[in-house]
Amino acid sequence: MSEDLLKEIDADLRAERIKNTARRYVAFVVVLIIVAVAALGIWQYKSWQYRKAVEQASFSYFNITQPIIAAIPGQSISDATKITAISQLKTLSAKSPQAVRALAQLEQAGLLADQGKVKEASIIWENLRGDKTAPSDFRSLAGLLWIQHHLDTAPPSDLRNRINELLGQQTPWYGLLKESEALLNLRTGKLIEARQIFGQLSIDMNASPSLRERASMMLQIIAHNKTVNKKVSP
């Protein structure tokens, strides 16, 4: 009888241990679920905050640039309008999510360059070019704009290195980079190389119509100058 009692007590103890283990396991699972739900809630809230910030920044960007976009083609934009927009874009870029910040920086630099303030614009382009958090297309565009505005002044070796660096990347600005390369070749006396690039661009259906037209015009100019030089040669 005592043996049966001991077995019964032992069975009860095992059952109690199993219950206690199950309670601890259930409590652990419940805690995990609570943590997961809380983390999901925090992530959703932060995502909502980010989307809201992007929407607000995009709306502000549109409002700032609207007077410039709305200008009639060929009509000059007043300096006062540009100065106001530059100031507002600078403020916007300082507090906006990255995608909108990069757009604001590009627009700000473009307006500065239009005012002849290429040095100030170049600082913005260089900062954006080196910003690893910015979208790659915006970074490469900043690099291209720097090149275009320094084709006549920067050391040819520096320009060629920058062009080759961007050409080695997957960028939507390939045609414009090749155009800059051809213009640099003209500057450095590489007439044959320049003519070859312009020839390729003039028939490249992936290039924009305006780029193909410019390339064709440059081919005509090169051919005309070559003919003139032959006539005046002794």
Side-chain angles (χ1 to χ4, degrees):
M1 173 126 183
S2 60
E3 185 177 348
D4 292 339
L5 181 60
L6 289 173
K7 288 181 179 180
E8 185 177 346
I9 292 172
D10 185 56
D12 289 342
L13 289 172
R14 284 200 300 272
E16 188 65 26
R17 283 197 296 270
I18 291 172
K19 288 180 182 179
N20 290 336
T21 301
R23 288 194 194 98
R24 287 195 297 270
Y25 178 76
V26 170
F28 177 71
V29 171
V30 169
V31 170
L32 282 180
I33 292 174
I34 292 173
V35 170
V37 170
L40 179 61
I42 292 171
W43 177 81
Q44 288 178 332
Y45 177 70
K46 288 186 175 181
S47 296
W48 176 83
Q49 280 187 317
Y50 179 78
R51 288 196 300 271
K52 194 70 175 177
V54 170
E55 289 175 3
Q56 291 175 345
S58 300
F59 185 73
S60 297
Y61 175 82
F62 177 79
N63 283 339
I64 293 170
T65 57
Q66 183 59 27
I68 299 170
I69 297 173
I72 300 173
Q75 178 183 358
S76 61
I77 303 169
S78 69
D79 288 339
T81 300
K82 290 181 181 180
I83 291 171
T84 299
I86 289 170
S87 176
Q88 292 174 334
L89 288 166
K90 183 178 181 180
T91 301
L92 179 65
S93 65
K95 61 180 182 180
S96 297
Q98 180 49 264
V100 180
R101 180 162 74 245
L103 274 174
Q105 289 171 329
L106 287 169
E107 188 68 32
Q108 179 189 357
L111 290 172
L112 285 168
D114 287 344
Q115 289 188 315
K117 300 177 180 178
V118 176
K119 186 175 181 179
E120 294 179 39
S122 297
I123 294 173
I124 297 174
W125 289 324
E126 281 290 81
N127 289 338
L128 179 55
R129 173 175 170 258
D131 187 353
K132 302 298 184 183
T133 66
S136 59
D137 287 349
F138 289 164
R139 292 173 56 203
S140 59
L141 177 56
L144 168 63
L145 291 169
W146 191 98
I147 291 168
Q148 289 178 331
H149 285 82
H150 293 81
L151 275 173
D152 295 330
T153 56
S157 58
D158 184 20
L159 288 166
R160 203 168 295 280
N161 287 337
R162 287 172 180 263
I163 291 171
N164 289 336
E165 178 186 346
L166 290 175
L167 286 174
Q169 304 172 7
Q170 289 186 341
T171 167
W173 325 117
Y174 177 83
L176 294 172
L177 285 165
K178 293 301 290 184
E179 179 184 39
S180 295
E181 182 182 15
L183 292 171
L184 177 60
N185 285 336
L186 284 180
R187 177 188 165 188
T188 55
K190 297 183 177 182
L191 187 63
I192 296 175
E193 291 86 346
R195 186 170 54 196
Q196 183 180 15
I197 294 174
F198 283 130
Q200 292 170 347
L201 289 175
S202 67
I203 59 174
D204 185 357
M205 298 311 296
N206 291 320
S208 66
S210 59
L211 177 55
R212 293 199 302 271
E213 183 179 354
R214 289 198 304 272
S216 297
M217 289 178 60
M218 290 304 301
L219 286 173
Q220 294 174 17
I221 292 172
I222 292 172
H224 175 73
N225 288 341
K226 187 176 180 180
T227 302
V228 171
N229 289 336
K230 282 184 177 180
K231 289 181 178 179
V232 299
S233 295

